[in-house]
Amino acid sequence: MTDRYSRQVRFTPIGAAGQERLSKATAVVVGCGALGTVILDQLARAGVGTIRCIDRDFVEPSNLQRQSLYDEADAAACRPKAEAAAARLRAVNGAITIEPVVAEVGSRTVERLVAGATVVLDGTDNFRTRHLLNEACQRARIPWIYGACVGSYGLSLTIIPGHGPCLACLQDQLPGPGETPTCDTAGIIAPAVHQVAAWQVAEALKVLVGAPPCQDLRSADLWAGTHRRVAVAGWRDPACLVCGPTPQFPLLSSADDPAVILCGRDAVQISRFADLDPVALAARLGHAVLMANPWLVRWRDGAATLTAFADGRVLVQGVADPAAARTLVDRWLG
Ligand SMILES: [Zn+2]
């Protein structure tokens, strides 16, 4: 054990005491895509005692270019990302606890998903989920580390409840939903992912060992070779609805939209809010089934492919219209 972490313990700011703190910490990584997989690998190797990895999706061939915990067998088997990541992480470090969760992070679920975390790391790809995390972490007083990247560009910010601004305070300084290109529209290169993940994991280690975090907004373009650092610690909004004196937590108190269009994927996700048994459903669907495993069942209807998850969500691919997606889901699941 001592030998395993010897190089990290020799790093004075961590030391033996820091390593002990890491072993007792719980890190929650939300999203097991490009950022999430790189973050998870480093946290597991660093010896963070409990790691919860959360993702709603399954592995696809187009993920393999940058999502570093997965391989071709995971994509062929449509393994849920959280489960595939957990299997890999357990092989990397069998002495720590990995908690995979295949679920949507929504207003109904987010507080349960981050409960017990010492730190939360953002591996998501959309601003609604980040603002949900922001509200849940502010309410539970959990530090969280924002990260985002697209193309060759990425940025990161450490958010500590009670110290400096929260994500809602900085809304005007950060790209909003739909304002920026996404990985689906503009693509992404792996070095940008690793740059942002490196910032996030370094910040997480500092939070976990009790070292002062960097609360600057950092960004870099790996292709242009530019870096930027903006001191935002004083930019807290005194009237903020999330971290101000009378917090409202507007997203936590709102309802989740049952139909979500997944931009760039030609897909709609329908949430049915009731668990289902994928194996039993596969038996009922008969010859339409393309594949089934304990976490999901996938079948075809004309040009559309439907994937039902155990937590009740159905992903409809090949359809861009929510009403059409709902019709398909109702036809099969009633
Ligand atoms: Zn705020």
CSV table of all heavy atoms in Angstrom, one decimal, residues 213-261:
chain,number,residue,atom,x,y,z
A,213,PRO,N,-7.5,25.9,-2.8
A,213,PRO,CA,-7.7,25.7,-4.2
A,213,PRO,C,-7.4,27.0,-5.0
A,213,PRO,O,-7.3,28.0,-4.4
A,213,PRO,CB,-9.2,25.3,-4.3
A,213,PRO,CG,-9.8,25.9,-3.1
A,213,PRO,CD,-8.7,26.0,-2.0
A,214,CYS,N,-7.3,26.8,-6.3
A,214,CYS,CA,-7.2,28.0,-7.2
A,214,CYS,C,-8.6,28.3,-7.6
A,214,CYS,O,-9.3,27.5,-8.1
A,214,CYS,CB,-6.4,27.6,-8.4
A,214,CYS,SG,-6.5,28.8,-9.8
A,215,GLN,N,-9.1,29.5,-7.3
A,215,GLN,CA,-10.4,29.9,-7.7
A,215,GLN,C,-10.5,30.8,-8.9
A,215,GLN,O,-11.4,31.6,-9.1
A,215,GLN,CB,-11.2,30.4,-6.5
A,215,GLN,CG,-11.5,29.3,-5.5
A,215,GLN,CD,-12.5,29.8,-4.4
A,215,GLN,OE1,-12.0,30.1,-3.3
A,215,GLN,NE2,-13.8,29.8,-4.6
A,216,ASP,N,-9.4,30.8,-9.7
A,216,ASP,CA,-9.5,31.5,-11.0
A,216,ASP,C,-10.1,30.7,-12.1
A,216,ASP,O,-10.1,29.5,-12.1
A,216,ASP,CB,-8.0,31.9,-11.5
A,216,ASP,CG,-7.3,32.9,-10.5
A,216,ASP,OD1,-8.0,33.5,-9.7
A,216,ASP,OD2,-6.1,33.0,-10.7
A,217,LEU,N,-10.8,31.4,-13.0
A,217,LEU,CA,-11.3,30.7,-14.2
A,217,LEU,C,-10.2,30.6,-15.2
A,217,LEU,O,-9.6,31.5,-15.6
A,217,LEU,CB,-12.4,31.6,-14.8
A,217,LEU,CG,-13.1,31.1,-16.1
A,217,LEU,CD1,-13.8,29.8,-15.9
A,217,LEU,CD2,-14.0,32.2,-16.6
A,218,ARG,N,-9.8,29.3,-15.5
A,218,ARG,CA,-8.7,29.0,-16.4
A,218,ARG,C,-9.2,28.5,-17.7
A,218,ARG,O,-10.1,27.7,-17.7
A,218,ARG,CB,-7.8,28.0,-15.7
A,218,ARG,CG,-7.0,28.7,-14.6
A,218,ARG,CD,-6.0,27.7,-14.0
A,218,ARG,NE,-6.7,26.7,-13.2
A,218,ARG,CZ,-6.0,25.9,-12.4
A,218,ARG,NH1,-4.7,25.8,-12.4
A,218,ARG,NH2,-6.7,25.0,-11.6
A,219,SER,N,-8.5,28.9,-18.8
A,219,SER,CA,-8.9,28.4,-20.1
A,219,SER,C,-7.6,28.2,-20.9
A,219,SER,O,-6.6,28.9,-20.7
A,219,SER,CB,-9.9,29.3,-20.8
A,219,SER,OG,-9.4,30.6,-21.0
A,220,ALA,N,-7.7,27.4,-21.9
A,220,ALA,CA,-6.6,27.2,-22.8
A,220,ALA,C,-7.1,26.7,-24.1
A,220,ALA,O,-8.1,26.0,-24.2
A,220,ALA,CB,-5.6,26.1,-22.2
A,221,ASP,N,-6.4,27.1,-25.2
A,221,ASP,CA,-6.6,26.5,-26.5
A,221,ASP,C,-5.3,25.7,-26.9
A,221,ASP,O,-4.3,26.4,-27.2
A,221,ASP,CB,-6.9,27.6,-27.5
A,221,ASP,CG,-7.3,27.0,-28.9
A,221,ASP,OD1,-6.7,26.0,-29.3
A,221,ASP,OD2,-8.2,27.6,-29.5
A,222,LEU,N,-5.4,24.4,-26.9
A,222,LEU,CA,-4.2,23.6,-27.1
A,222,LEU,C,-3.7,23.7,-28.6
A,222,LEU,O,-2.6,23.4,-28.8
A,222,LEU,CB,-4.6,22.1,-26.8
A,222,LEU,CG,-4.4,21.7,-25.3
A,222,LEU,CD1,-3.0,21.5,-25.0
A,222,LEU,CD2,-5.1,22.6,-24.3
A,223,TRP,N,-4.6,24.1,-29.5
A,223,TRP,CA,-4.2,24.2,-30.9
A,223,TRP,C,-3.5,25.5,-31.1
A,223,TRP,O,-2.4,25.6,-31.7
A,223,TRP,CB,-5.4,24.0,-31.8
A,223,TRP,CG,-5.1,23.5,-33.2
A,223,TRP,CD1,-4.9,24.3,-34.3
A,223,TRP,CD2,-4.8,22.2,-33.5
A,223,TRP,NE1,-4.6,23.4,-35.4
A,223,TRP,CE2,-4.5,22.1,-34.9
A,223,TRP,CE3,-4.9,20.9,-32.8
A,223,TRP,CZ2,-4.3,21.0,-35.6
A,223,TRP,CZ3,-4.6,19.8,-33.5
A,223,TRP,CH2,-4.3,19.8,-34.9
A,224,ALA,N,-4.1,26.6,-30.6
A,224,ALA,CA,-3.5,27.9,-30.8
A,224,ALA,C,-2.3,28.1,-29.8
A,224,ALA,O,-1.5,29.0,-30.0
A,224,ALA,CB,-4.6,29.0,-30.5
A,225,GLY,N,-2.3,27.3,-28.7
A,225,GLY,CA,-1.2,27.5,-27.8
A,225,GLY,C,-1.4,28.6,-26.8
A,225,GLY,O,-0.4,29.2,-26.4
A,226,THR,N,-2.6,29.0,-26.5
A,226,THR,CA,-2.9,30.1,-25.7
A,226,THR,C,-3.5,29.7,-24.3
A,226,THR,O,-4.2,28.7,-24.3
A,226,THR,CB,-3.9,31.1,-26.3
A,226,THR,OG1,-5.0,30.4,-26.8
A,226,THR,CG2,-3.2,31.8,-27.5
A,227,HIS,N,-3.1,30.4,-23.3
A,227,HIS,CA,-3.7,30.1,-21.9
A,227,HIS,C,-4.2,31.5,-21.4
A,227,HIS,O,-3.7,32.5,-21.7
A,227,HIS,CB,-2.6,29.7,-21.0
A,227,HIS,CG,-2.2,28.2,-21.2
A,227,HIS,ND1,-1.5,27.8,-22.3
A,227,HIS,CD2,-2.5,27.1,-20.5
A,227,HIS,CE1,-1.3,26.5,-22.2
A,227,HIS,NE2,-1.9,26.1,-21.1
A,228,ARG,N,-5.3,31.4,-20.6
A,228,ARG,CA,-5.8,32.5,-20.0
A,228,ARG,C,-6.3,32.2,-18.6
A,228,ARG,O,-6.7,31.1,-18.3
A,228,ARG,CB,-7.1,33.0,-20.8
A,228,ARG,CG,-7.6,34.3,-20.5
A,228,ARG,CD,-8.4,34.9,-21.7
A,228,ARG,NE,-9.0,36.2,-21.3
A,228,ARG,CZ,-10.3,36.3,-21.1
A,228,ARG,NH1,-11.1,35.3,-21.3
A,228,ARG,NH2,-10.8,37.4,-20.7
A,229,ARG,N,-6.1,33.2,-17.7
A,229,ARG,CA,-6.5,33.0,-16.3
A,229,ARG,C,-7.1,34.3,-15.8
A,229,ARG,O,-6.6,35.4,-15.9
A,229,ARG,CB,-5.2,32.7,-15.5
A,229,ARG,CG,-5.5,32.3,-14.1
A,229,ARG,CD,-4.2,31.7,-13.5
A,229,ARG,NE,-4.3,31.7,-12.1
A,229,ARG,CZ,-3.5,30.9,-11.3
A,229,ARG,NH1,-2.6,30.2,-11.8
A,229,ARG,NH2,-3.7,31.0,-10.0
A,230,VAL,N,-8.4,34.2,-15.3
A,230,VAL,CA,-9.1,35.3,-14.9
A,230,VAL,C,-9.5,35.2,-13.4
A,230,VAL,O,-10.1,34.2,-13.0
A,230,VAL,CB,-10.4,35.5,-15.7
A,230,VAL,CG1,-11.2,36.7,-15.3
A,230,VAL,CG2,-10.1,35.5,-17.2
A,231,ALA,N,-9.1,36.2,-12.6
A,231,ALA,CA,-9.4,36.1,-11.2
A,231,ALA,C,-10.9,36.5,-11.0
A,231,ALA,O,-11.3,37.6,-11.2
A,231,ALA,CB,-8.5,37.1,-10.4
A,232,VAL,N,-11.7,35.5,-10.6
A,232,VAL,CA,-13.1,35.8,-10.5
A,232,VAL,C,-13.6,35.6,-9.0
A,232,VAL,O,-14.8,35.7,-8.7
A,232,VAL,CB,-14.0,34.8,-11.3
A,232,VAL,CG1,-13.7,35.0,-12.8
A,232,VAL,CG2,-13.7,33.3,-10.9
A,233,ALA,N,-12.6,35.4,-8.1
A,233,ALA,CA,-13.0,35.2,-6.7
A,233,ALA,C,-13.9,36.3,-6.1
A,233,ALA,O,-14.7,36.0,-5.2
A,233,ALA,CB,-11.7,35.0,-5.9
A,234,GLY,N,-13.7,37.5,-6.6
A,234,GLY,CA,-14.5,38.7,-6.1
A,234,GLY,C,-15.8,38.9,-6.8
A,234,GLY,O,-16.5,39.9,-6.6
A,235,TRP,N,-16.1,38.0,-7.7
A,235,TRP,CA,-17.3,38.2,-8.6
A,235,TRP,C,-18.6,37.6,-8.0
A,235,TRP,O,-19.5,37.3,-8.8
A,235,TRP,CB,-17.0,37.7,-10.0
A,235,TRP,CG,-15.9,38.5,-10.7
A,235,TRP,CD1,-15.1,39.4,-10.2
A,235,TRP,CD2,-15.6,38.4,-12.1
A,235,TRP,NE1,-14.2,39.8,-11.1
A,235,TRP,CE2,-14.5,39.2,-12.3
A,235,TRP,CE3,-16.0,37.6,-13.2
A,235,TRP,CZ2,-13.9,39.4,-13.5
A,235,TRP,CZ3,-15.4,37.7,-14.4
A,235,TRP,CH2,-14.4,38.6,-14.6
A,236,ARG,N,-18.7,37.4,-6.8
A,236,ARG,CA,-19.9,36.8,-6.2
A,236,ARG,C,-21.0,37.8,-6.3
A,236,ARG,O,-20.9,39.0,-6.0
A,236,ARG,CB,-19.6,36.5,-4.7
A,236,ARG,CG,-20.7,35.5,-4.2
A,236,ARG,CD,-20.2,35.0,-2.8
A,236,ARG,NE,-21.2,34.2,-2.2
A,236,ARG,CZ,-21.2,33.7,-1.0
A,236,ARG,NH1,-20.1,33.9,-0.3
A,236,ARG,NH2,-22.2,33.0,-0.5
A,237,ASP,N,-22.2,37.3,-6.7
A,237,ASP,CA,-23.4,38.2,-6.9
A,237,ASP,C,-24.1,38.2,-5.5
A,237,ASP,O,-24.6,37.1,-5.1
A,237,ASP,CB,-24.2,37.6,-8.0
A,237,ASP,CG,-25.6,38.4,-8.1
A,237,ASP,OD1,-25.8,39.3,-7.4
A,237,ASP,OD2,-26.4,37.9,-9.0
A,238,PRO,N,-24.2,39.3,-4.9
A,238,PRO,CA,-24.8,39.4,-3.5
A,238,PRO,C,-26.3,39.0,-3.6
A,238,PRO,O,-26.9,38.6,-2.6
A,238,PRO,CB,-24.6,40.8,-3.0
A,238,PRO,CG,-24.3,41.6,-4.2
A,238,PRO,CD,-23.7,40.7,-5.3
A,239,ALA,N,-26.9,39.1,-4.8
A,239,ALA,CA,-28.3,38.7,-4.9
A,239,ALA,C,-28.5,37.4,-5.6
A,239,ALA,O,-29.6,37.1,-6.0
A,239,ALA,CB,-29.1,39.8,-5.7
A,240,CYS,N,-27.5,36.6,-5.6
A,240,CYS,CA,-27.6,35.3,-6.3
A,240,CYS,C,-28.7,34.4,-5.7
A,240,CYS,O,-28.8,34.3,-4.5
A,240,CYS,CB,-26.2,34.6,-6.2
A,240,CYS,SG,-26.2,33.0,-7.0
A,241,LEU,N,-29.5,33.8,-6.6
A,241,LEU,CA,-30.6,32.9,-6.2
A,241,LEU,C,-30.1,31.6,-5.7
A,241,LEU,O,-30.9,30.8,-5.2
A,241,LEU,CB,-31.6,32.8,-7.3
A,241,LEU,CG,-32.4,34.0,-7.7
A,241,LEU,CD1,-33.3,33.7,-8.9
A,241,LEU,CD2,-33.1,34.6,-6.5
A,242,VAL,N,-28.8,31.3,-5.9
A,242,VAL,CA,-28.3,30.0,-5.4
A,242,VAL,C,-27.4,30.1,-4.2
A,242,VAL,O,-27.5,29.4,-3.2
A,242,VAL,CB,-27.6,29.3,-6.6
A,242,VAL,CG1,-27.0,27.9,-6.1
A,242,VAL,CG2,-28.5,29.1,-7.8
A,243,CYS,N,-26.5,31.1,-4.2
A,243,CYS,CA,-25.6,31.2,-3.1
A,243,CYS,C,-25.8,32.5,-2.3
A,243,CYS,O,-25.0,32.8,-1.3
A,243,CYS,CB,-24.1,31.1,-3.5
A,243,CYS,SG,-23.5,32.5,-4.5
A,244,GLY,N,-26.8,33.3,-2.6
A,244,GLY,CA,-27.1,34.5,-1.9
A,244,GLY,C,-27.7,34.3,-0.5
A,244,GLY,O,-27.9,33.1,-0.1
A,245,PRO,N,-28.1,35.4,0.2
A,245,PRO,CA,-28.6,35.2,1.6
A,245,PRO,C,-30.0,34.5,1.6
A,245,PRO,O,-30.3,33.9,2.6
A,245,PRO,CB,-28.7,36.7,2.0
A,245,PRO,CG,-28.7,37.5,0.8
A,245,PRO,CD,-27.9,36.8,-0.2
A,246,THR,N,-30.8,34.6,0.6
A,246,THR,CA,-32.0,33.8,0.6
A,246,THR,C,-32.1,32.9,-0.7
A,246,THR,O,-32.8,33.3,-1.7
A,246,THR,CB,-33.2,34.8,0.6
A,246,THR,OG1,-33.0,35.8,-0.5
A,246,THR,CG2,-33.4,35.5,1.9
A,247,PRO,N,-31.4,31.8,-0.6
A,247,PRO,CA,-31.4,31.0,-1.8
A,247,PRO,C,-32.7,30.4,-2.2
A,247,PRO,O,-33.5,30.0,-1.3
A,247,PRO,CB,-30.4,29.8,-1.4
A,247,PRO,CG,-30.3,29.9,0.1
A,247,PRO,CD,-30.7,31.3,0.5
A,248,GLN,N,-33.0,30.3,-3.5
A,248,GLN,CA,-34.2,29.8,-4.0
A,248,GLN,C,-34.0,28.4,-4.7
A,248,GLN,O,-35.0,27.7,-4.8
A,248,GLN,CB,-34.8,30.7,-5.1
A,248,GLN,CG,-34.8,32.2,-4.7
A,248,GLN,CD,-36.0,32.5,-3.9
A,248,GLN,OE1,-37.1,32.2,-4.3
A,248,GLN,NE2,-35.8,33.2,-2.8
A,249,PHE,N,-32.8,28.1,-5.1
A,249,PHE,CA,-32.5,26.9,-5.8
A,249,PHE,C,-33.6,26.6,-6.9
A,249,PHE,O,-34.3,25.6,-6.9
A,249,PHE,CB,-32.4,25.7,-4.9
A,249,PHE,CG,-31.4,25.9,-3.8
A,249,PHE,CD1,-31.8,26.0,-2.4
A,249,PHE,CD2,-30.1,26.0,-4.1
A,249,PHE,CE1,-30.9,26.2,-1.4
A,249,PHE,CE2,-29.1,26.2,-3.1
A,249,PHE,CZ,-29.6,26.3,-1.7
A,250,PRO,N,-33.6,27.5,-7.9
A,250,PRO,CA,-34.7,27.4,-8.9
A,250,PRO,C,-34.8,26.1,-9.7
A,250,PRO,O,-35.9,25.6,-9.9
A,250,PRO,CB,-34.4,28.6,-9.8
A,250,PRO,CG,-33.1,29.1,-9.5
A,250,PRO,CD,-32.8,28.7,-8.1
A,251,LEU,N,-33.7,25.5,-10.0
A,251,LEU,CA,-33.7,24.3,-10.8
A,251,LEU,C,-34.1,23.1,-9.9
A,251,LEU,O,-34.9,22.2,-10.3
A,251,LEU,CB,-32.4,24.0,-11.4
A,251,LEU,CG,-32.1,24.8,-12.7
A,251,LEU,CD1,-30.7,24.5,-13.2
A,251,LEU,CD2,-33.1,24.6,-13.8
A,252,LEU,N,-33.6,23.1,-8.7
A,252,LEU,CA,-34.0,21.9,-7.8
A,252,LEU,C,-35.5,21.9,-7.5
A,252,LEU,O,-36.0,20.8,-7.3
A,252,LEU,CB,-33.2,22.0,-6.4
A,252,LEU,CG,-31.7,21.8,-6.5
A,252,LEU,CD1,-31.2,21.9,-5.0
A,252,LEU,CD2,-31.4,20.4,-7.0
A,253,SER,N,-36.1,23.0,-7.5
A,253,SER,CA,-37.5,23.1,-7.2
A,253,SER,C,-38.4,23.0,-8.5
A,253,SER,O,-39.6,23.1,-8.5
A,253,SER,CB,-37.9,24.3,-6.4
A,253,SER,OG,-37.3,25.4,-7.0
A,254,SER,N,-37.7,22.8,-9.7
A,254,SER,CA,-38.5,22.7,-10.9
A,254,SER,C,-38.6,21.2,-11.3
A,254,SER,O,-37.9,20.4,-10.8
A,254,SER,CB,-37.8,23.5,-12.1
A,254,SER,OG,-36.6,22.8,-12.4
A,255,ALA,N,-39.5,21.0,-12.2
A,255,ALA,CA,-39.8,19.6,-12.6
A,255,ALA,C,-38.8,19.3,-13.8
A,255,ALA,O,-38.5,20.1,-14.6
A,255,ALA,CB,-41.2,19.4,-13.1
A,256,ASP,N,-38.4,18.0,-13.9
A,256,ASP,CA,-37.6,17.6,-15.0
A,256,ASP,C,-38.5,17.5,-16.3
A,256,ASP,O,-39.7,17.0,-16.2
A,256,ASP,CB,-37.0,16.2,-14.8
A,256,ASP,CG,-35.9,16.3,-13.7
A,256,ASP,OD1,-35.1,17.3,-13.7
A,256,ASP,OD2,-35.8,15.4,-12.8
A,257,ASP,N,-38.0,17.9,-17.4
A,257,ASP,CA,-38.7,17.7,-18.6
A,257,ASP,C,-38.7,16.2,-19.1
A,257,ASP,O,-37.6,15.6,-19.2
A,257,ASP,CB,-38.1,18.6,-19.7
A,257,ASP,CG,-38.9,18.7,-21.0
A,257,ASP,OD1,-39.8,17.8,-21.2
A,257,ASP,OD2,-38.7,19.6,-21.8
A,258,PRO,N,-39.9,15.6,-19.3
A,258,PRO,CA,-39.9,14.2,-19.6
A,258,PRO,C,-39.3,13.9,-21.0
A,258,PRO,O,-38.8,12.8,-21.3
A,258,PRO,CB,-41.3,13.8,-19.5
A,258,PRO,CG,-42.1,15.0,-19.6
A,258,PRO,CD,-41.2,16.1,-19.1
A,259,ALA,N,-39.2,14.9,-21.9
A,259,ALA,CA,-38.6,14.7,-23.2
A,259,ALA,C,-37.5,15.7,-23.4
A,259,ALA,O,-37.7,16.9,-23.3
A,259,ALA,CB,-39.7,14.9,-24.3
A,260,VAL,N,-36.3,15.1,-23.7
A,260,VAL,CA,-35.1,16.0,-23.9
A,260,VAL,C,-34.5,15.7,-25.2
A,260,VAL,O,-34.2,14.5,-25.5
A,260,VAL,CB,-34.1,15.7,-22.8
A,260,VAL,CG1,-32.8,16.6,-23.0
A,260,VAL,CG2,-34.7,16.0,-21.4
A,261,ILE,N,-34.3,16.7,-26.0
A,261,ILE,CA,-33.7,16.5,-27.3
A,261,ILE,C,-32.2,16.5,-27.1
A,261,ILE,O,-31.6,17.4,-26.5
A,261,ILE,CB,-34.1,17.6,-28.3
A,261,ILE,CG1,-35.6,17.6,-28.6
A,261,ILE,CG2,-33.3,17.5,-29.6
A,261,ILE,CD1,-36.1,18.9,-29.3
